[in-house]
Amino acid sequence: MEGLQIELVENGREMPMDLLLLADPSAEMISEYIHDCRVFIASLNGAMVACYALLPIDEILMEIKNIAVAERYQGKGIGALLIKDAIETAKNLGYKKIRIGTGNSSIGQLQLYQKLGFIQREVIKGFFQKNYPEPIVENGIECVDMIVLERNV
Ligand code: ACO
């Protein structure tokens, strides 16, 4: 997308919490992983429109822990661009694989990730019921399990 700039959030700089909370409704969960992540912010004409957070799992595997596009900018291809950027970043850092986890109720996200070459690898049963105090309902479906998808970079 023309004019979209993606930049690493430097150490010690403020995290884009409003965006991160769109992808993960628990500030507590976010605080547990975000400081171990490389966080990238995408801006359009100076306005922050999206972000993603990468967490190294081991020497070969990187995880997209959080990805979010501000509501009014969704559905314009920014999410897909960010995932491609995350794959490229993981590759440039020497990782071989990248994974992403999402809820069983996140139908659009599951479509997006699979269209970009991610393949379902694991189901973490009851993840959302166990880790989130309030039930999460999306698309009329209760979010219960985490679906983990992976691809080579
Ligand atoms: N319903 C149906 N399909 C969707 C949806 C949706 N809500 N969202 C994305 N898609 C699919 C479509 O296949 C679309 O392809 P198309 O344009 O050819 O129809 C494809 O994704 C690409 O869409 P983009 O425009 O690139 O997606 P967007 O810029 O909206 O970013 C994202 C996707 C990041 C999921 C965004 O909608 C968002 O921030 N949502 C709220 C937060 C969220 O759910 N984040 C992911 C949680 S999982 C995690 O963080 C690890």
Side-chain angles (χ1 to χ4, degrees), residues 22-23 64-69 73-81 100-102 108-109 111-113 115:
L22 287 178
I64 303 175
K65 282 297 282 185
N66 189 305
I67 177 161
V69 177
Y73 293 95
Q74 288 175 10
K76 301 178 193 298
I78 296 175
L81 269 174
I100 188 161
T102 195
Q109 289 80 342
Q111 184 183 25
L112 171 60
Y113 307 151
K115 273 162 81 171

Side-chain angles (χ1 to χ4, degrees), residues 61-121:
L61 179 63
M62 184 68 101
E63 178 165 346
I64 303 175
K65 282 297 282 185
N66 189 305
I67 177 161
V69 177
E71 245 162 273
R72 59 184 287 236
Y73 293 95
Q74 288 175 10
K76 301 178 193 298
I78 296 175
L81 269 174
L82 256 52
I83 291 174
K84 289 178 190 159
D85 193 77
I87 294 167
E88 206 49 38
T89 302
K91 186 176 177 171
N92 292 339
L93 290 168
Y95 293 85
K96 304 289 181 221
K97 288 174 182 290
I98 190 161
R99 80 177 182 197
I100 188 161
T102 195
N104 58 281
S105 51
S106 297
I107 306 299
Q109 289 80 342
L110 287 166
Q111 184 183 25
L112 171 60
Y113 307 151
Q114 290 177 88
K115 273 162 81 171
L116 292 174
F118 288 79
I119 295 169
Q120 184 176 320
R121 281 284 171 255

Side-chain angles (χ1 to χ4, degrees), residues 102-104 120-132 142-148:
T102 195
N104 58 281
Q120 184 176 320
R121 281 284 171 255
E122 200 187 337
V123 176
I124 307 176
K125 289 189 182 163
F127 178 86
F128 292 96
Q129 281 178 333
K130 255 181 243 146
N131 292 294
Y132 291 80
E142 185 175 357
C143 186
V144 176
D145 300 332
M146 180 183 280
I147 314 288
V148 181

